[in-house]
Amino acid sequence: MPYVEGWEIAPQEGSPRSAVKLLTVLSVLLAVLFFLASFPAAVSATVKGRCKDCHEMHSDSASPELTKGGCLGCHAMDPAGTRNIIEIGNSPIPQVLHNMEDGDLAAGNFYYVADGFAPDYGKGHNVVGISQLQPPPMDEPPGFIGSVMIPGGKGPTRWLERQELTCAGTWGCHGDRTVEDPYKAVYGAHHEDDSVIDGSTVGKSYRYLFGIKGAEDRDWEYQATPAEHNGYKGDPQHMTMDTISYLCGECHALFHPSIFLGGMAVGNHNPWHRHPTDVDLGSVHPTFPGSEYQSYMIYSLVTPVAFENPTGKESHVDERSIIMCLSCHRAHASPYKDSLRWDYTEMVAGESRTGNSGCFTCHTLK
């Protein structure tokens, strides 16, 4: 067929030009797929899947918000079992109570304080439905101060008599702590877009800890590495309410330096009266070389540190790294007293060691 200027004759199916065009399209698609695969998949804690996986319409039990057993119904499905993450539908669900060997997630494991499993109530938080309330003085949070500033308002004026810890709400950690009911405090958070953790809502807060910022490891630090872990937010200026240590200080106010949480504004003003938190290593020793921290260079999963702008991929430690509450403690419970990350009684200065551990991860010259 003759060529006419301004016109292009469409190639016939099966012609060489058609085959070339098809191969070109396929090559472009493969290049796009390869490009996308080079980036990590977006991490989201938003629940996906069938409604019936978490809710039931005509339950015989009085579970709130039509859930199958409330918080523990999903996050403690098999306490004696050996799965630390259970997948229901399309959603992996971290288990805060399980019996998996070497399977404790970032926050620890309530197994060590749970009734029915030879509990030691001093090894973690005693949450209603898991543990019994401890006798005085441990029936209220150590270092508690009434009416401290928290995201959205103020904390309770006093700790009520015989008040047990709850998962969320005023008497717990997760959700909006200005809302007393644990389930109303986290209402809707599991279905919210949490691709950006900015603390503006419960769903957009780090681990649903209202107002707290950070970077969430997709597997809750199961088999984490020094370059792939939770990213904890710290603030050595103590001017914000969005750090993980501030969250702890909302109940343990005397243990945090912020003037809004008691800290150095109450009692002993010496920051070394208690181990300081939200303090960067450079504020104690301006330079790393020659300091007792000089050998803490690779991020430790056992003794983690916080950062002002965490990504969860910080593999190195320097003078800008920040000591926080979770540098020494687990959030839920641990095998050791006071929910510590290691056995404090085994820390002996001056003994030869094959490697730094526990306190000596930071205090490398001791």
Side-chain angles (χ1 to χ4, degrees):
M1 180 176 293
Y3 173 76
V4 180
E5 187 176 357
W7 292 81
E8 183 176 356
I9 308 300
Q12 299 297 309
E13 185 176 354
S15 68
R17 288 183 66 191
S18 177
V20 170
K21 187 175 183 180
L22 179 60
L23 287 174
T24 301
V25 172
L26 288 174
S27 298
V28 172
L29 287 174
L30 287 173
V32 171
L33 290 173
F34 179 79
F35 178 78
L36 292 175
S38 66
F39 291 88
V43 179
S44 174
T46 304
V47 171
K48 304 176 182 67
R50 300 173 300 179
C51 299
K52 69 184 292 292
D53 292 334
C54 299
H55 300 276
E56 50 190 346
M57 302 302 100
H58 300 282
S59 173
D60 292 331
S61 59
S63 296
E65 313 302 342
L66 298 178
T67 56
K68 291 185 175 181
C71 301
L72 300 181
C74 277
H75 294 284
M77 283 188 272
D78 186 13
T82 57
R83 293 177 294 173
N84 61 357
I85 300 174
I86 296 178
E87 189 162 330
I88 301 295
N90 298 320
S91 296
I93 303 174
Q95 298 299 293
V96 301
L97 173 56
H98 60 83
N99 191 24
M100 178 180 179
E101 186 175 358
D102 298 325
D104 293 356
L105 301 177
N109 187 355
F110 284 120
Y111 180 87
Y112 307 108
V113 296
D115 291 335
F117 299 101
D120 183 337
Y121 296 137
K123 290 183 176 180
H125 286 104
N126 310 122
V127 177
V128 62
I130 295 177
S131 308
Q132 295 182 27
L133 181 66
Q134 284 189 271
M138 297 303 293
D139 57 339
E140 70 174 50
F144 178 80
I145 293 177
S147 302
V148 300
M149 291 180 62
I150 64 175
K154 289 187 176 183
T157 56
R158 63 185 182 89
W159 196 267
L160 299 181
E161 186 177 358
R162 303 299 299 170
Q163 173 63 54
E164 291 188 75
L165 287 174
T166 54
C167 292
T170 298
W171 311 107
C173 296
H174 299 278
D176 186 345
R177 296 195 61 244
T178 66
V179 178
E180 184 168 8
D181 185 279
Y183 302 99
K184 291 181 180 178
V186 295
Y187 187 81
H190 286 82
H191 298 286
E192 190 171 350
D193 177 10
D194 64 347
S195 55
V196 176
I197 303 297
D198 59 11
S200 60
T201 66
V202 173
K204 293 179 181 293
S205 297
Y206 176 79
R207 303 303 187 199
Y208 299 160
L209 303 167
F210 184 40
I212 307 304
K213 298 177 183 177
E216 300 177 340
D217 181 65
R218 68 179 65 202
D219 293 323
W220 300 275
E221 287 200 345
Y222 178 54
Q223 296 181 334
T225 69
E228 192 76 36
H229 49 79
N230 282 334
Y232 299 108
K233 175 79 163 63
D235 176 17
Q237 305 303 317
H238 315 131
M239 297 300 292
T240 64
M241 293 192 292
D242 60 2
T243 72
I244 193 65
S245 290
Y246 197 99
L247 184 279
C248 300
E250 289 179 24
C251 281
H252 306 285
L254 283 176
F255 299 168
H256 193 281
S258 172
I259 60 173
F260 302 115
L261 293 173
M264 286 156 45
V266 175
N268 193 318
H269 288 233
N270 183 344
W272 295 103
H273 179 63
R274 298 181 176 89
H275 197 295
T277 54
D278 267 6
V279 173
D280 62 68
L281 298 178
S283 67
V284 183
H285 290 281
T287 60
F288 240 45
S291 75
E292 63 179 292
Y293 313 122
Q294 66 180 6
S295 296
Y296 187 7
M297 301 176 65
I298 305 299
Y299 186 93
S300 170
L301 294 168
V302 177
T303 312
V305 288
F307 300 88
E308 290 193 65
N309 297 292
T311 65
K313 299 184 181 299
E314 297 87 358
S315 58
H316 289 83
V317 174
D318 58 25
E319 64 273 9
R320 295 169 297 176
S321 303
I322 301 166
I323 298 300
M324 57 174 174
C325 298
L326 296 187
S327 294
C328 301
H329 299 275
R330 297 283 184 185
H332 292 166
S334 81
Y336 310 109
K337 286 286 188 181
D338 302 320
S339 201
L340 284 166
R341 290 174 172 270
W342 56 81
D343 188 348
Y344 183 60
T345 65
E346 294 297 317
M347 299 294 104
V348 182
E351 287 193 352
S352 61
R353 303 182 306 279
T354 57
N356 293 338
S357 61
C359 301
F360 305 115
T361 305
C362 289
H363 302 281
T364 57
L365 294 186
K366 290 292 195 297

